[in-house]
Amino acid sequence: MSVRTPDPDPDWTPGPENIQPPNQNQGWLTDVELADIRRRLPILYIEAVPVRVDGLGQVVELGVLLRARPTGEMTRTLVSGRVLYGETLRDALFRHLEKDLGPMAFPQLPASPVPFSVAEYFPLPGITAFTDERQHAVSLAYVVPVTGTCDPRQDALELTWMTPLEAASEAVSAEMEGGRGSLLRMALASVGQLR
């Protein structure tokens, strides 16, 4: 399982030689810096479960991303990404939702940036339910209603909408990377949909 990083530098545009200049945005890390930091410190992430709600605010569908791993294996995952230095949790959540779901998803961010859960990922399995072979990471997890059209971008192949019952199934959990099936069930429980 990998929590998708590094993020591209948003200030970089290809030049005539297509060589990326030195990073001027201090919130972004080079690949070498990120690898060095991952060996020394936990990295902060956000994760989001996009949902559709009915007129009463009850969750009727959950969105799960489909990705191809470098090995060719197909896995399911959630919207996720690093929180940058100097970035608020709200800004990081919005940035990753827009990056993964497209600019027309229209996420309805929570009034308070309090997550439904905190997931701690370790490179070694068995310490918690969550693993990331590259690093120790701490992830703040949110349920976020979206009202627009979702068009997955970046490395996601599709966004699959599921009923709460389908999302809680063992089959979906087995397709999720790094223990995210457990996190998806926690999201369902936090909105009263785990039966």
Side-chain angles (χ1 to χ4, degrees):
M1 185 292 311
S2 76
V3 179
R4 296 171 346 276
T5 53
D7 295 319
D9 183 345
D11 299 326
W12 178 69
T13 54
E17 308 260 333
N18 204 22
I19 297 173
Q20 191 165 347
N23 190 349
Q24 301 302 312
N25 183 343
Q26 296 304 310
W28 296 88
L29 301 171
T30 67
D31 290 342
V32 172
E33 291 169 329
L34 182 60
D36 185 48
I37 288 171
R38 281 182 170 152
R39 285 190 298 273
R40 299 173 185 210
L41 301 168
I43 306 292
L44 180 62
Y45 285 81
I46 60 90
E47 290 186 280
V49 179
V51 297
R52 301 261 189 221
V53 297
D54 64 15
L56 297 175
Q58 296 292 314
V59 172
V60 293
E61 291 183 310
L62 293 88
V64 180
L65 296 167
L66 178 68
R67 289 207 171 87
R69 297 187 78 176
T71 61
E73 175 189 13
M74 302 301 275
T75 60
R76 297 210 177 266
T77 192
L78 305 173
V79 171
S80 64
R82 289 194 322 262
V83 177
L84 302 177
Y85 177 78
E87 184 177 43
T88 67
L89 293 175
R90 182 177 302 285
D91 288 343
L93 191 56
F94 186 81
R95 179 172 58 84
H96 288 293
L97 283 160
E98 186 174 78
K99 181 181 68 159
D100 284 353
L101 303 180
M104 301 305 289
F106 301 128
Q108 306 297 303
L109 296 183
S112 171
V114 176
F116 72 83
S117 185
V118 176
E120 194 169 14
Y121 292 85
F122 284 93
L124 302 173
I127 298 172
T128 67
F130 309 105
T131 58
D132 182 338
E133 69 270 2
R134 302 163 312 147
Q135 65 188 340
H136 176 192
V138 176
S139 180
L140 307 177
Y142 298 87
V143 173
V144 181
V146 294
T147 59
T149 303
C150 296
D151 183 26
R153 303 182 333 168
Q154 297 293 321
D155 58 346
L157 301 175
E158 73 174 27
L159 176 70
T160 305
W161 289 103
M162 304 176 183
T163 66
L165 187 60
E166 292 168 330
S169 73
E170 287 299 321
V172 170
S173 186
E175 293 178 355
M176 304 284 290
E177 59 186 13
R180 284 190 174 84
S182 297
L183 195 60
L184 188 59
R185 285 192 299 277
M186 285 189 248
L188 286 165
S190 76
V191 295
Q193 291 293 325
L194 189 60
R195 301 193 196 312

